[in-house]
Amino acid sequence: MKPGRREPYLIEERTLVVDEAALERLKQGPRILGVGLLIWRGESLLLIREDKEGRRDRWLMVGGALEPGEPPEQAARREALEEVGLRLSELRLAKLVRLRFRAGRRRVTKHFLIYEAKVPEGARIRRGSGVLEARWFKTLPRPLLFPEDFKGLI
């Protein structure tokens, strides 16, 4: 695998059907739901398995939700430090995912941002709490938790 060199970033749209209660919660929440990170060391990509129900046996990119008032790039850097102990300097927005939630005729649009970062060959990872495993991959492993997140990026 190789880091992408897309300019500008990709935009993807997904529609998800939810119930009325979930739609109302989403409506009250932040416009940007979270961030993901494609962290590259040469041609290897860093992925994690989390210690959460439904995630223990699946690989996913580093990332998570924004804290109240937190800018997305700051959230991406925080998540990298918390989950894998990496301090990231340069980040590049690789993909904006528009999530269109629908309940009947009602709709709410939210966003998920995927950033790309490169670390030096000698970069060492340190698993944070909640991370079962963190590994560098030259090809995408199976199973992935959110395979659609990688579409067009790898």
Side-chain angles (χ1 to χ4, degrees), residues 46 78-88 124-128:
L46 180 61
R78 176 184 50 75
E79 290 289 346
L81 188 59
E82 289 175 0
E83 292 185 356
V84 291
L86 292 173
R87 291 187 189 279
L88 303 177
R124 296 179 55 99
I125 50 180
R126 178 187 45 80
R127 284 185 301 118

Side-chain angles (χ1 to χ4, degrees), residues 1-3 37-50 56-62 84 119 121 123 125 131-145 150 154:
M1 293 184 295
K2 292 187 180 182
L37 283 158
L38 296 172
I39 301 174
W40 296 95
R41 186 179 72 183
E43 294 183 6
S44 295
L45 178 65
L46 180 61
L47 297 175
I48 63 171
R49 287 187 309 116
E50 292 182 316
R56 290 183 184 102
D57 63 345
R58 295 175 184 264
W59 294 97
L60 68 154
M61 62 180 74
V62 170
V84 291
V119 296
E121 280 298 324
I125 50 180
V131 175
L132 286 176
E133 188 176 2
R135 284 189 19 210
W136 298 100
F137 291 92
K138 289 203 181 274
T139 59
L140 283 178
R142 298 285 185 252
L144 292 168
L145 183 58
F150 298 90
I154 297 181

Side-chain angles (χ1 to χ4, degrees), residues 6 8-14 36 38 61 92-98 112-116 147-153:
R6 293 155 303 285
Y9 56 85
L10 295 175
I11 298 175
E12 181 182 318
E13 298 194 14
R14 298 182 198 157
L38 296 172
M61 62 180 74
R92 185 185 74 76
L93 182 61
K95 188 183 220 181
L96 178 145
V97 181
R98 253 188 221 122
F112 183 79
L113 305 176
I114 298 174
Y115 289 94
E116 216 167 28
E148 62 275 12
D149 286 349
F150 298 90
K151 184 179 172 190
L153 296 175

